[in-house]
Amino acid sequence: MSADRERGVTARELRRIAAVLARYPQGDAGSLVNALHDVQAEFRYLPEAALCEVADHLGLPRAQVYGVASFYQGFHLEPRGEHTCTVCMGTACHVRGAARLLETIERDAGVGAGGTTPDLKLTVEEVNCVGACAIGPLVIVDGEYHGHMTADRVSRLVAKLLGEGASR
Amino acid sequence: MDVRLTIDGHEAKAPKDMSLLDVVRRVGGEIPALCHHEGIAPIAACRLCLVEVRRPGRGEAVLTTSCDYPVSEGLEVVTASPRIRRHRAMNLQLLLPYAPDAPALHEIAESLGVTAPLFAPVTGAPLPGCILCELCVRVCAALGYHALAAIGRGDHKRVGPPFGRSVATACVGCGACHEVCPTGCIAMEDTATTRRIWGRELELFTCRRCGKPFTTVAHRTVMVARGDIPAESCDLCETCRSRDYARRLAPVR
């Protein structure tokens, strides 16, 4: 279908989307957020084609589905890295040098906060506070908390995530 | 089913669950509102239609938005009080920086005695003058086009074409969003043959009789396909159409 080619989606991706949507009855508008979670688990983000397929399957306007997906911070509309590195920017972490940590990560990875490396290895993020102030400054790698972080250690962590660990 | 309620001490009757704002306006009461349209479900975004309501058997009157408040039996409503005025004024002051030039806001400001916004005018907004009432998004959806979306959240929130595009690809150029926008921030430009709106350039359709353009070809095509109105009525502008009706009605007299 030419419309699908326009959206940059392959037949294989369409099958993956269809497999996720098979879990939901057609026209079940109430399942929107659940369906978006499942699609994101499959692709790590929500491709435009997937949003359109979800909308059509659940009988919702595409614009509305886009509105919902763009509303929640947990949904991503841009491709995400294989790994995620999140720097806590809360007050406690801030006074212990979180800004320096973020700077180090941004420089090593070559992308700013909120960005993803072109090879889709790593996404860099900031978060306002995760409530682990006692062990700040804090960096979270793929859901794992690393407390009392230093610029040196975070540099080594990032190198490992970017797959440069073995060559050093 | 009708219910009875009191509005500023006067008895009134209204269908149960009708919007309190619509009921008050129907009996001639005045309540300011920027995000409300009688034909579209309310979202209570502008917060200017605040009133005080007391349900029978409940103690104090509570401050609430009237547009999304369904009327019920025995409701006591106050539409003007110092408390209401104070809160409406504050909410308007919060809106003013987003649309400092909108006449509709100034009109309400004057009635509330508001002289200055609460902070400096907002600059660099994605759609200057937009107060995020979402009337454009809602009217577009109600008409079945879904060309616009409410995007994002908080201070990043905006209205516009979905999927990060600068052009609303599903827009037919009916101009309803331009029409309902309370601040007039949606640009719609007609030249002799085309209409520009939401990044689109759409060919205009001219009246078969007088030759005056009155909508876009795309909009007319949808109207004809839907069959809501007779196809021949889609060929004539409003003036020529009402002339036809007048001619048809003339012998009746």
Side-chain angles (χ1 to χ4, degrees), chain A residues 48 51 61 63 66-67 70-71 73, chain B residues 146 148-150 152-153 163-165:
Chain A
E48 180 178 333
L51 290 178
Y66 180 81
S70 68
F71 180 88
Q73 199 157 14
Chain B
H146 303 285
L148 302 174
R153 182 187 46 183
F163 301 106
R165 297 203 171 82

Side-chain angles (χ1 to χ4, degrees), chain B residues 171-225:
Chain B
C171 174
V172 297
C174 72
C177 54
H178 171 84
E179 192 65 37
V180 296
C181 179
T183 65
C185 71
I186 297 169
M188 184 172 89
E189 236 179 276
D190 284 3
T191 65
T193 53
T194 59
R195 169 172 291 177
R196 273 201 211 123
I197 188 165
W198 291 115
R200 298 210 70 184
E201 182 149 12
L202 298 140
E203 197 193 330
L204 284 173
F205 183 84
T206 50
C207 175
R208 287 274 150 86
R209 191 167 304 153
C210 70
K212 199 180 78 180
F214 66 97
T215 190
T216 65
V217 172
H219 182 214
R220 179 188 170 271
T221 307
V222 172
M223 287 199 299
V224 172

Side-chain angles (χ1 to χ4, degrees), chain B residues 39-234:
Chain B
I40 299 171
I43 61 165
C46 76
R47 319 302 293 179
L48 295 178
C49 67
L50 295 170
V51 294
E52 286 178 311
V53 297
R54 196 155 69 94
R55 303 240 302 264
R58 304 277 173 99
E60 297 223 340
V62 294
L63 198 65
T64 183
T65 46
S66 58
C67 66
D68 62 344
Y69 198 98
V71 293
S72 56
E73 182 66 35
L75 201 66
E76 285 171 40
V77 187
V78 175
T79 68
S81 73
R83 182 191 181 196
I84 292 168
R85 207 179 154 85
R86 200 169 65 240
H87 284 93
R88 282 182 189 165
M90 165 66 85
N91 291 339
L92 183 73
Q93 280 185 300
L94 290 166
L95 291 177
L96 269 173
Y98 294 92
D101 305 320
L105 269 72
H106 285 284
E107 211 173 280
I108 299 170
E110 206 167 301
S111 72
L112 291 170
V114 170
T115 49
L118 218 48
F119 45 94
V122 171
T123 53
L127 183 60
C130 176
I131 56 164
L132 297 172
C133 73
E134 288 182 38
L135 261 182
C136 52
V137 178
R138 288 181 287 147
V139 77
C140 189
L143 291 170
Y145 302 117
H146 303 285
L148 302 174
I151 305 158
R153 182 187 46 183
D155 56 351
H156 294 294
K157 182 154 190 166
R158 63 197 164 87
V159 296
F163 301 106
R165 297 203 171 82
S166 54
V167 179
T169 46
C171 174
V172 297
C174 72
C177 54
H178 171 84
E179 192 65 37
V180 296
C181 179
T183 65
C185 71
I186 297 169
M188 184 172 89
E189 236 179 276
D190 284 3
T191 65
T193 53
T194 59
R195 169 172 291 177
R196 273 201 211 123
I197 188 165
W198 291 115
R200 298 210 70 184
E201 182 149 12
L202 298 140
E203 197 193 330
L204 284 173
F205 183 84
T206 50
C207 175
R208 287 274 150 86
R209 191 167 304 153
C210 70
K212 199 180 78 180
F214 66 97
T215 190
T216 65
V217 172
H219 182 214
R220 179 188 170 271
T221 307
V222 172
M223 287 199 299
V224 172
R226 281 186 186 163
D228 294 342
I229 39 178
E232 67 270 18
S233 295
C234 301

Side-chain angles (χ1 to χ4, degrees), chain B residues 1-15:
Chain B
M1 194 186 71
D2 274 2
V3 295
R4 279 165 306 168
L5 64 158
T6 8
I7 300 169
D8 296 327
H10 299 287
E11 291 251 335
K13 251 196 205 174

